[in-house]
Amino acid sequence: MEVIICPTERRVGEIGAAKVAQIAQTVGPGVVLGVATGSSPLATYAELAALVATGELDLSQASAFALDEYVGLPYTHRQSYHDTIRRTVTEPLGLDPSRVHVPDGLAPEGAGERYEAAIRDAGGVDIQILGVGTNGHVGFNEPTSSLASRTRIKTLAPRTLKDNARFFDSIADVPKHCITQGLGTIMDARHVVLVATGQGKANAIAAIIEGPITSMWPGSVLQMHQHATIVIDVAAASELALASYYQEVYANLPDWQRLDV
Ligand code: GLP
């Protein structure tokens, strides 16, 4: 894993975007992005949008696959991931809406298999952008998700219902089910860039970077990924045993491999 510790939350967005842009440019105009919802990647999307606005990055030919969606929430609902992706990714990044895919939470039967086929048909995901839940989930792969899982229906963990209640009027309004790419699906992406900020993520970050690979901390499966980059701020890094080692490693990379943190 490449661990990049940034001095501020803002810098996490800038470095996250620079990393994604760098890989996107290497892949070319038809790059396939994997996009996460949640608050963590918003700064990364905003920075990518700025690169698009100045013409430094062109994503008009790119495709995108969202990680997950709530089951049963109308797509016009502001908290549906269809609407969230449109507002935070498709429009600001100048993506063609016909090439942006979100799992079908309204006709969930067979939707997992259809989604896997769509990702395959697009040639697979080149860069998967990820956040992480306080319980270590990525996408909605809750603790004890199979490390080999594919896109399917899941039941949200009590912790996730609580965490996501802030987006709804009350916890009772948070849908209990979701459809999410599996950990196996995420692991098939050619690059993974996970962004996290704040003290609230410190335990999850320590567990997924330094803990054992375990379905109890689903993000820990990324230890098995060949090209996983974790971009965090000092608060999210605060429980890492080897934080200063990662900083030293990064500071001593050759210029062409390093973005300035
Ligand atoms: C959500 C999403 C995840 C996201 C996570 C963290 O429920 N399904 O993709 O990474 O929880 O959210 P946040 O970034 O808002 O803390």
Side-chain angles (χ1 to χ4, degrees), residues 150-184:
R150 312 300 307 188
T151 308
R152 72 226 183 280
I153 306 293
K154 288 289 285 180
T155 303
L156 299 194
R159 179 65 185 263
T160 305
L161 290 172
K162 223 166 130 190
D163 284 351
N164 288 7
R166 69 188 194 278
F167 299 117
F168 294 84
D169 290 339
S170 78
I171 192 165
D173 293 329
V174 185
K176 292 187 178 36
H177 297 97
C178 62
I179 175 165
T180 180
Q181 286 189 32
L183 294 171

Side-chain angles (χ1 to χ4, degrees), residues 36-40 67-68 81 131-133 137 139-140 160 164 166 201:
T37 53
S39 46
S40 306
L67 277 175
D68 45 15
Y81 287 173
V132 62
H137 76 205
F140 270 133
T160 305
N164 288 7
R166 69 188 194 278
K201 297 292 170 69

Side-chain angles (χ1 to χ4, degrees), residues 189-209:
R190 288 182 267 277
H191 296 262
V192 175
V193 177
L194 184 150
V195 288
T197 57
Q199 182 69 39
K201 297 292 170 69
N203 286 336
I205 285 296
I208 69 174
I209 296 175

Side-chain angles (χ1 to χ4, degrees), residues 76-133:
T76 48
H77 191 293
R78 201 170 159 79
Q79 295 309 327
S80 76
Y81 287 173
H82 275 76
D83 196 63
T84 305
I85 291 292
R86 178 185 59 73
R87 277 184 284 111
T88 62
V89 178
T90 312
E91 290 175 358
L93 271 56
L95 299 180
D96 175 348
S98 69
R99 281 196 284 262
V100 179
H101 311 265
V102 181
D104 192 351
L106 294 179
E109 210 181 322
E113 289 77 1
R114 290 197 298 277
Y115 205 63
E116 292 280 333
I119 295 174
R120 264 198 313 276
D121 291 348
V125 170
D126 292 302
I127 316 163
Q128 177 65 56
I129 301 166
L130 285 180
V132 62

